[in-house]
Amino acid sequence: MTPDSPLKQMKVGPCRPKDLPALRKLLNEVFVQEREVTGDIFEYAPLMYTPENAENLRIVRHRGRIVGHAGILPRTIRWRGQTLRAGFVGGVCCRQSMRGRGVGTLAMRDAADHMARLGLDFGVLWTGSPGFYERLGWRTGGGLTRVSIAEAAGESPVVREIMPIDESPFGPDACHRLHEAAGRNEVIRTQEETATLLTTYYRGATLALEGGRPDGYFAHRDTDLGEIEGDAPTCIALLARAAEEGYRACPFPLHDPRLPAITEALPVQVTVQPLGMLLITGRESLVARICAESGASPEELGIGEDVSIEVLTARIFGQPDREPTDDPLPLDIHIGYLDRV
Ligand SMILES: CC(C)(COP(=O)(O)OP(=O)(O)OC[C@H]1O[C@@H](n2cnc3c(N)ncnc32)[C@H](O)[C@@H]1OP(=O)(O)O)[C@@H](O)C(=O)NCCC(=O)NCCS
């Protein structure tokens, strides 16, 4: 950096609660006005942009003005008997007139340092610009299956009584019990998280009943399903109903054991995609928890000190094109919803 480099005049650090309106303006300029869409980023990620989380919103200032940002939302993920700490990273941006001068890099480096200081095990983000993050050590990883259901309307060979949860005698706790009992990818939410999710991030839920008791549900956003629970026959009935109602797709964990029966019964299209981009910020603690849970050594699990960050990320979180692999790795964390609860 030369003495008169613009970067020298920049300061990076936490957002103060009183800076939130200025940050909101910048985020909406970049992610709403520039992209010619509608909405408000603060409303899209209501837990991220709060006075309580301001310390974790890392901002770059130039002559006192906010010119860049990388937000972190610390989340707890209960995986088997362990508690993992993830940082969901979002709202990464640089003011349009200041791009290409290192502002975004400064914000992201500070975000990574801050995640390590907070003791977070890893960061996760979703992006259309992976190249920017790869330079900074982030790696594409994890995987989930997207099932496109448009052709499945009216095709279910399985009959279930299906109704919106609001019209049933049941509430969100019925969905929570199904979520908990399935332990789908060994990541379990709390009852409060499920209730919040169903009534805020998702636009509603639809139950399947068998013998008058709930035995599955789907929760939906505007055009896609956000999650589905129930055994394979129940999912078949629910997906066909969702298709009739105009929903287009549903995410599943990568090697979900229900998928073969579903693809056999319904004309659906299956694609696999990465979970997102990941940065391990607490290698030692993450490896220690995986080892404590599995009773195996880092070397036995292929996550010893000598493995590269690429190998470590692929081994811990898996890759979209992987085959079903050994217990207990990879962690099949299908966690997109956690930035809302
Ligand atoms: C992406 C963004 C944050 C980068 O900020 P920036 O301050 O311009 O980035 P920097 O100056 O730190 O970039 C440093 C390097 O990253 C590269 N880079 C920047 N944007 C990139 C992108 N979208 N994809 C790949 N590389 C990118 C630059 O070429 C530069 O490389 P170099 O060091 O080899 O010259 C900024 O372009 C932005 O705000 N974009 C709009 C919002 C957005 O898309 N955010 C990310 C959504 S997840």
Side-chain angles (χ1 to χ4, degrees):
M1 205 190 304
T2 56
D4 56 351
S5 148
L7 262 189
K8 243 195 141 223
Q9 303 163 11
M10 304 210 197
K11 288 197 168 30
V12 64
C15 178
R16 295 164 301 194
K18 68 173 185 170
D19 296 324
L20 284 169
L23 178 62
R24 185 177 206 156
K25 190 161 173 289
L26 173 65
L27 289 172
N28 284 328
E29 275 169 22
V30 173
F31 292 103
V32 178
Q33 288 151 29
E34 237 183 78
R35 295 184 177 182
E36 298 183 6
V37 295
T38 54
D40 177 353
I41 298 303
F42 270 35
E43 283 175 19
Y44 179 76
L47 298 183
M48 176 86 93
Y49 302 109
T50 60
E52 297 71 40
N53 197 48
E55 173 84 17
N56 300 322
L57 307 175
R58 312 306 291 180
I59 58 176
V60 181
R61 291 169 206 275
H62 181 243
R63 297 182 179 147
R65 191 175 182 225
I66 301 179
V67 293
H69 167 255
I72 304 159
L73 178 62
R75 299 279 72 196
T76 296
I77 297 172
R78 281 164 293 277
W79 170 74
R80 299 188 173 193
Q82 299 292 321
T83 299
L84 308 181
R85 299 265 295 147
F88 283 23
V89 171
V92 177
C93 69
C94 170
R95 187 175 292 285
Q96 197 173 28
S97 59
M98 299 286 284
R99 291 197 188 141
R101 301 185 203 177
V103 171
T105 301
L106 201 56
M108 282 304 294
R109 286 202 198 286
D110 185 63
D113 291 347
H114 189 67
M115 285 192 283
R117 278 196 301 274
L118 289 175
L120 303 186
D121 297 304
F122 62 94
V124 58
L125 60 80
W126 289 266
T127 182
S129 311
F132 174 68
Y133 299 100
E134 268 160 19
R135 306 160 38 253
L136 300 168
W138 290 75
R139 293 292 173 265
T140 299
L144 54 86
T145 306
R146 180 183 152 92
V147 178
S148 300
I149 59 173
E151 313 282 308
E155 297 284 334
S156 176
V158 181
V159 178
R160 290 281 183 280
E161 190 184 355
I162 293 179
M163 64 178 69
I165 194 164
D166 299 347
E167 294 169 23
S168 81
F170 302 100
D173 52 325
C175 297
H176 184 72
R177 279 194 292 276
L178 290 162
H179 159 80
E180 196 172 32
R184 193 61 62 191
N185 53 354
E186 298 177 302
V187 173
I188 306 292
R189 297 189 295 253
T190 63
Q191 186 158 352
E192 295 70 41
E193 284 173 344
T194 302
T196 308
L197 195 62
L198 292 176
T199 51
T200 56
Y201 178 54
Y202 295 135
R203 308 273 182 257
T206 293
L207 278 181
L209 305 177
E210 174 78 326
R213 303 295 311 159
D215 79 336
Y217 70 91
F218 66 73
H220 61 87
R221 300 267 298 147
D222 292 332
T223 56
D224 289 352
L225 305 187
E227 64 183 49
I228 191 162
E229 200 43 84
D231 62 13
T234 301
C235 286
I236 290 165
L238 282 167
L239 290 173
R241 170 61 69 89
E244 275 166 40
E245 292 178 8
Y247 297 108
R248 301 174 314 187
C250 182
F252 282 79
L254 191 57
H255 289 297
D256 192 304
R258 300 170 293 181
L259 287 167
I262 291 169
T263 53
E264 172 105 348
L266 294 175
V268 292
Q269 313 292 323
V270 172
T271 47
V272 296
Q273 59 190 63
L275 168 78
M277 295 195 82
L278 297 144
L279 179 76
I280 295 171
T281 48
R283 180 171 181 155
E284 220 174 289
S285 67
L286 182 57
V287 168
R289 276 175 234 184
I290 293 168
C291 292
E293 190 63 29
S294 59
S297 72
E299 288 68 30
E300 285 165 336
L301 292 168
I303 53 175
E305 276 174 23
D306 54 331
V307 304
S308 67
I309 197 70
E310 278 72 25
V311 172
L312 187 75
T313 308
R315 184 75 186 117
I316 293 182
F317 299 103
Q319 295 290 333
D321 55 1
R322 73 175 190 260
E323 293 300 315
T325 46
D326 321 334
D327 191 50
L329 292 174
L331 311 182
D332 197 3
I333 47 168
H334 169 200
I335 50 173
Y337 56 79
L338 276 175
D339 58 357
R340 307 304 192 294
V341 294

